[in-house]
Amino acid sequence: MVADLTSDISESQEQEIETNSANNNGAVFRPENCPRLVIKIGSSLLVDQRGQVRRDWLQTVAYDIAKLHQAGQQIIVVSSGAIALGARRLNLPRGGRASLEDAQASASVGQILLSQCWAELLGACSLDSSQILLTLDDLEDRRRYLNVSATLDRLLSLGVVPVINENDSIATAEIRFGDNDRLAARIGQASHASGVILFSDVDGLYTANPMKDPNAKRIDRVEHIDNSTEAMASSDSASGMGSGGMASKVEAARIATYSGVNLAITTGKRPSPLTMFLDDGAGTLFTADESASAHKTWLAGRLTAHGQVYIDQGAVEALHDGNSLLPAGVCSIEGKFNRGDVVDILDQEHNLIARGLIEYDSEDSAQITGKRSQEIADILGYEARTALIHRNHMVML
């Protein structure tokens, strides 16, 4: 049975999760539709302006998780807050973000405090929890990505609630996700989850910044992310405490949906935010593309590429028709890369079209740019592959 966490929990928070209410965005993430769910808790929700855990609120989140766990849903938590907690304990300025060294020291201390808090609150609900700290490299490297996936799968099969955060105590700019929105999306991908919910200090994607434009309207559902979607996203963080803004959430949605995972952005300001969202669905739902293979979803979710390949309009149309990328359609090459590295494919207006594993290193790629396939062997001096990037190793974006 779930423990009675606090006498302050209201009657509305005690109600069981509805499974037959009107169709809304929340229904997509209920246990019967979403057997495995990732939830992300932002710093501004978990930690107050004094650098202390909002314990009463977090208790209601733990209670939500316990109810869903009893209903058969497996839940992974991506939790921010370590830097803010550690900075308060160490009495460091600017919330521990005055320098990289301060942030790393704060994270090192704060991770212990954060994991203790989650273990205690979930333990009060008769749930075991675990801690996993990751850097960008852990999910960009295919072998380590598969190891993370296997660990999560085993923990969930044992009834454990994994609590995940970026390993900010060792991460530098080169190996950082930059925010936990994108980390949550990659975890949704690696864990084969059906859904990701980003709880934030905003309740969804708006046509404009709602804090500046009174006529801004929330968009309830996004079927496809394009340039107009990204233009509506602001990179500002409302609280000033977290590292992400709406732009990072839209990028997280792109990663998740390309991986066949539904993603929602909703408010976490109210008590029992998970129960409330499943009930009323108030937020923005980005719907999943369920057509991609596992290999291609890993490609789509990568945050780093070793180079850029710029192509002409004819090649753009060929790729959309399901063809491989041939050297003849390439206009220019940027970056230094080796055969088998991940590169981005862009059109002449610098719009990201696709991502794939390139068949040639950067020097050979530059030599055959714009050339017909039958010319490649004469140019390079050896029998080579016809395609610069084969369609089986490419994902359209």
Side-chain angles (χ1 to χ4, degrees):
M1 295 293 292
V2 176
D4 183 10
L5 298 180
T6 172
S7 59
D8 293 334
I9 295 179
S10 67
E11 182 178 349
S12 64
Q13 294 163 17
E14 291 284 357
Q15 67 185 4
E16 291 300 317
I17 297 172
E18 297 289 344
T19 59
N20 57 358
S21 63
N23 183 34
N24 57 51
N25 290 340
V28 175
F29 300 93
R30 293 187 187 130
E32 65 270 25
N33 299 320
C34 181
R36 187 170 289 182
L37 174 67
V38 177
I39 64 171
K40 179 258 180 178
I41 309 293
S43 295
S44 62
L45 297 175
L46 192 142
V47 181
D48 63 24
Q49 292 295 331
R50 297 172 297 168
Q52 297 179 319
V53 173
R54 298 178 60 227
R55 192 176 183 84
D56 290 343
W57 175 85
L58 198 58
Q59 283 178 327
T60 72
V61 176
Y63 189 70
D64 280 351
I65 293 171
K67 287 192 293 183
L68 289 165
H69 192 270
Q70 286 183 337
Q73 191 170 50
Q74 298 174 327
I75 294 183
I76 299 169
V77 178
V78 176
S79 177
S80 303
I83 292 177
L85 291 175
R88 181 181 182 273
R89 179 63 63 91
L90 297 173
N91 197 28
L92 292 173
R94 294 180 54 192
R97 298 182 184 274
S99 67
L100 175 62
E101 291 78 10
D102 280 1
Q104 290 174 325
S106 297
S108 181
V109 172
Q111 282 297 348
I112 295 176
L113 303 175
L114 186 63
S115 61
Q116 285 176 338
C117 185
W118 277 110
E120 180 181 346
L121 294 179
L122 290 171
C125 297
S126 302
L127 291 174
D128 291 322
S129 60
S130 70
Q131 181 188 57
I132 301 177
L133 300 178
L134 299 171
T135 64
L136 179 62
D137 282 351
D138 293 321
L139 295 179
E140 297 288 90
D141 178 86
R142 180 68 174 167
R143 180 180 59 82
R144 287 151 69 183
Y145 169 89
L146 294 173
N147 287 339
V148 171
S149 180
T151 300
L152 288 171
D153 196 58
R154 183 56 177 151
L155 286 169
L156 292 168
S157 73
L158 294 170
V160 176
V161 179
V163 179
I164 299 174
N165 196 0
E166 184 162 13
N167 194 353
D168 288 310
S169 61
I170 64 169
T172 61
E174 292 78 14
I175 57 170
R176 295 196 74 240
F177 288 93
D179 57 77
N180 275 351
D181 298 320
R182 283 172 278 210
L183 174 58
R186 292 304 305 274
I187 291 300
Q189 177 192 60
S191 66
H192 309 292
S194 300
V196 174
I197 301 176
L198 306 180
F199 288 108
S200 182
D201 47 13
V202 293
D203 65 348
L205 175 66
Y206 280 75
T207 55
N209 188 334
M211 299 194 324
K212 298 178 180 178
D213 185 350
N215 297 317
K217 296 182 191 258
R218 189 181 71 210
I219 300 171
D220 290 334
R221 185 170 291 219
V222 177
E223 303 285 346
H224 177 70
I225 299 171
D226 54 22
N227 292 342
S228 63
T229 311
E230 295 172 343
M232 288 184 283
S234 167
S235 60
D236 298 330
S237 177
S239 67
M241 186 178 299
S243 56
M246 188 54 66
S248 75
K249 291 171 177 55
V250 170
E251 176 61 21
R254 183 191 292 277
I255 294 168
T257 55
Y258 287 160
S259 304
V261 181
N262 292 299
L263 182 141
I265 302 170
T266 187
T267 181
K269 288 185 175 180
R270 50 191 180 175
S272 295
L274 188 48
T275 295
M276 297 294 285
F277 175 69
L278 296 186
D279 186 46
D280 64 24
T284 299
L285 170 65
F286 295 82
T287 59
D289 175 1
E290 300 178 354
S291 63
S293 67
H295 177 63
K296 289 191 174 184
T297 60
W298 174 74
L299 280 175
R302 283 180 59 96
L303 299 177
T304 57
H306 294 277
Q308 296 77 41
V309 178
Y310 291 90
I311 62 177
D312 60 29
Q313 187 57 36
V316 172
E317 295 172 2
L319 297 190
H320 281 297
D321 288 338
N323 295 303
S324 299
L325 177 61
L326 304 180
V330 177
C331 301
S332 62
I333 300 283
E334 291 185 2
K336 187 173 181 60
F337 47 83
N338 297 313
R339 177 175 179 263
D341 281 345
V342 176
V343 297
D344 286 337
I345 305 169
L346 305 95
D347 64 18
Q348 290 300 283
E349 284 72 47
H350 290 218
N351 296 310
L352 183 60
I353 303 298
R355 181 170 292 149
L357 302 178
I358 197 156
E359 296 285 357
Y360 299 89
D361 62 27
S362 50
E363 292 182 3
D364 285 353
S365 296
Q367 289 189 67
I368 62 176
T369 291
K371 304 299 183 182
R372 296 167 61 87
S373 297
Q374 53 265 40
E375 299 178 81
I376 295 177
D378 289 338
I379 295 171
L380 299 181
Y382 60 88
E383 290 296 328
R385 292 162 181 81
T386 301
L388 190 68
I389 301 176
H390 195 276
R391 63 183 181 182
N392 290 343
H393 303 298
M394 182 193 312
V395 59
M396 298 302 296
L397 302 176

